[in-house]
Amino acid sequence: MSFFSINKSFKGGVHPDEHKDLTENSAFELMPYPTEVVLPLSQHIGKPSKVLVKKRDLVKSGQVIAEPDGFISSIIHSPITGKIKDIGKTASVGGRPQEAVTIVAEGEDEVVFMEPLDADSITAELIIERVKEAGIVGQGGAAFPTYVKLMPPKDKNIECIIINGAECEPYLTRDYRYMVERTQDLIIGIKLIMRALGVKRGIIGIEDNKPEAIKMLKEATSHHSEIKVEVLKTKYPQGAEKMLIKVAVNKEVPPGKLPLDVGVVIQNIRTAISVFDAVVKGEPQITAALTVSGFGIKTPKNLIVRVGTTIQQVLDYCGGTNEDARKVIVGGPMMGVAQYDMSAPVQKATSGLLVLTEPEMKHSQETNCLRCGACVDVCALNLIPKDLAKFSKAGKWDEAEALGVTVCMECGTCSYNCPANIPLVQWIRLGKQRVINIQRSKQNVS
């Protein structure tokens, strides 16, 4: 039986305007070397990294400036050659000030990358160690340290990896460009991840709105029978982990469980490219790849930028914003974060920078819930968003928890589809955070 199939999908979901045509044919550009970078110590999920430098220290590109502070943490390298200007609180793309290291460029760029390794002979243990040394974090949104995902508990039987090439967020074309520009490097990166995990089966999940990438991936995998391409129906949130696993291997991740509980590890396209760069080139994760798009930016692009480059610097490089620009979002329009401070820096997992105009934004008057069930129809996790939002708004945390508020993946399909324009996902996000805090408090007491 072949496990190659076409147009698989899941229940629920929505079809927002894609607008990928703005950048899908724009090859990556390398943005010029910045004069200053700001490096938050928390560019990943888990504990912030521990600073190893002090003010006025001189550093080189690729030099470690912060080390992991715990198991779920990550190394941070200097993206430029220069002098440590400051260590303190700065703006961040998450919206809250964060502890960060500011480096000002000085002198010629000197690079201290790691020694390149042989991708054909490297052992699983060395791959994991190299990924850790390179400071690679996942590019799917959560920015989970990748080396940790390559070390699942011994009681978990990992059967396959799934590479998330869905890129279902509108506007974003970063992963698409990697699939068509670095196809062979991607395949090697996937094989390195498979070797690290000791699995014999790899799957690339890709939506059917990317025919050129599908064609190239089919050709590239024709000589690698252990890697298959699953073509998925274009629908948001097709790239969510649970949706991807369901359509790719027909397994359901139970509430409160992780992909590895059903024998699957998921990695992003850019993550696999980063693993290739770290092993084959010895390059640490000092750059971010992102799509700059929206009708409010003068010249939409796909860019490779040094981590720590500010949003304003990126906007300026793209020609600046149009007069009718109204909002800047980091990430995609469905799950991204609106920005108020353009001095916030690009981080390792930043996938997009959108500049939206009035027509691209949803501005409608909120009304009372119509009890129409539109939010229930599109929820891919079979939740009842209207009730979760109602309990969160009323501070009824026990009821929200009982109804599964912590299961919500905050994809935003409910808000997108609500005819009453209720900010459902925002209320659910608030309730989810409060319930998680209560759960942690109870665990600490016990």
Side-chain angles (χ1 to χ4, degrees):
M1 182 184 76
S2 170
F3 54 89
F4 187 89
S5 59
I6 297 176
N7 295 339
K8 288 187 172 182
S9 190
F10 59 94
K11 172 191 168 294
V14 292
H15 297 274
D17 292 336
E18 296 180 18
H19 297 303
K20 290 181 183 287
D21 56 314
L22 291 172
T23 54
E24 65 185 355
N25 294 317
S26 300
F28 277 120
E29 287 183 32
L30 183 62
M31 189 171 157
Y33 196 70
T35 56
E36 184 174 300
V37 293
V38 180
L39 303 170
L41 297 175
S42 183
Q43 298 192 46
H44 50 270
I45 196 169
K47 201 169 180 183
S49 308
K50 190 191 305 181
V51 179
L52 297 176
V53 293
K54 59 184 184 301
K55 285 180 68 172
R56 292 183 287 282
D57 279 357
L58 297 175
V59 295
K60 299 177 181 178
S61 295
Q63 179 179 331
V64 176
I65 63 164
E67 64 180 3
D69 190 11
F71 181 59
I72 301 181
S73 188
S74 185
I75 288 175
I76 296 175
H77 304 77
S78 175
I80 62 174
T81 296
K83 182 182 291 184
I84 305 297
K85 177 183 176 183
D86 195 18
I87 302 173
K89 297 276 188 181
T90 63
S92 78
V93 295
R96 289 179 293 185
Q98 283 190 348
E99 197 75 16
V101 178
T102 300
I103 306 173
V104 60
E106 187 172 294
E108 293 292 320
D109 188 24
E110 296 185 58
V111 175
V112 286
F113 286 178
M114 301 169 285
E115 179 186 358
L117 301 172
D118 183 1
D120 292 326
S121 62
I122 186 173
T123 64
E125 291 75 17
L126 280 177
I127 293 170
I128 295 170
E129 185 60 27
R130 174 53 61 93
V131 168
K132 181 179 182 180
E133 289 175 347
I136 298 173
V137 302
Q139 299 289 302
F144 200 88
T146 300
Y147 84 93
V148 179
K149 286 184 79 172
L150 298 181
M151 301 170 61
K154 295 188 183 304
D155 62 335
K156 305 297 181 185
N157 180 28
I158 305 303
E159 300 173 357
C160 72
I161 68 162
I162 299 176
I163 301 298
N164 185 356
E167 199 167 48
C168 59
E169 276 270 12
Y171 294 92
L172 302 187
T173 57
R174 174 193 70 166
D175 291 346
Y176 171 73
R177 292 309 309 176
Y178 270 129
M179 287 187 276
V180 298
E181 291 185 39
R182 297 186 63 182
T183 316
Q184 294 300 330
D185 294 347
L186 172 63
I187 299 302
I188 294 173
I190 293 172
K191 294 184 73 169
L192 287 168
I193 294 172
M194 291 172 65
R195 193 182 310 160
L197 286 164
V199 299
K200 303 295 184 186
R201 185 185 180 196
I203 299 171
I204 304 171
I206 179 171
E207 287 187 330
D208 59 8
N209 62 350
K210 306 173 182 66
E212 182 65 20
I214 292 170
K215 177 185 174 185
M216 296 182 73
L217 288 171
K218 283 182 179 178
E219 291 175 356
T221 56
S222 63
H223 304 295
H224 303 277
S225 59
E226 69 277 27
I227 303 175
K228 300 295 182 184
V229 178
E230 286 281 9
V231 182
L232 316 171
K233 185 176 179 180
T234 299
K235 183 166 63 169
Y236 181 86
Q238 186 72 80
E241 283 190 342
K242 291 185 178 181
M243 279 60 265
L244 203 53
I245 291 171
K246 174 62 179 175
V247 297
V249 295
N250 196 28
K251 290 186 176 182
E252 294 189 8
V253 181
K257 297 294 184 180
L258 299 170
L260 57 83
D261 290 310
V262 295
V264 177
V265 168
I266 291 186
Q267 299 284 0
N268 183 269
I269 292 289
R270 161 67 175 174
T271 309
I273 291 290
S274 295
V275 171
F276 172 89
D277 288 341
V279 172
V280 178
K281 299 180 179 178
E283 183 177 327
Q285 196 166 23
I286 61 171
T287 61
L290 65 158
T291 298
V292 185
S293 189
F295 291 95
I297 188 76
K298 288 188 175 176
T299 312
K301 296 175 182 287
N302 288 299
L303 292 177
I304 305 289
V305 308
R306 303 284 175 129
V307 173
T309 304
T310 66
I311 292 175
Q312 189 62 57
Q313 288 175 304
V314 177
L315 297 180
D316 291 344
Y317 181 70
C318 294
T321 59
N322 294 318
E323 288 185 2
D324 56 350
R326 293 291 180 271
K327 180 183 282 189
V328 175
I329 292 175
V330 165
M334 300 296 284
M335 296 188 72
V337 179
Q339 302 296 305
Y340 65 91
D341 190 338
M342 299 306 123
S343 70
V346 169
Q347 299 187 178
K348 291 181 180 181
T350 300
S351 59
L353 186 54
L354 307 184
V355 185
L356 305 182
T357 59
E358 202 73 30
E360 297 172 272
M361 297 162 56
K362 187 178 180 181
H363 281 306
S364 301
Q365 186 66 38
E366 180 181 341
T367 63
N368 291 330
C369 177
L370 305 175
R371 299 182 181 278
C372 62
C375 60
V376 180
D377 290 341
V378 298
C379 180
L381 295 176
N382 297 315
L383 298 173
I384 308 175
K386 67 181 182 62
D387 287 350
L388 290 173
K390 180 180 70 176
F391 290 138
S392 296
K393 191 173 183 179
K396 294 184 177 180
W397 315 125
D398 289 342
E399 288 87 343
E401 182 179 13
L403 208 57
V405 72
T406 58
V407 176
C408 175
M409 58 185 173
E410 305 175 27
C411 66
T413 55
C414 53
S415 296
Y416 178 84
N417 212 42
C418 177
N421 302 305
I422 300 171
L424 294 165
V425 71
Q426 285 81 3
W427 283 116
I428 294 172
R429 185 178 294 143
L430 172 67
K432 180 180 177 180
Q433 193 57 53
R434 292 298 296 270
V435 169
I436 289 174
N437 289 341
I438 292 170
Q439 290 174 339
R440 287 174 177 165
S441 297
K442 289 179 178 176
Q443 289 174 353
N444 291 336
V445 169
S446 62

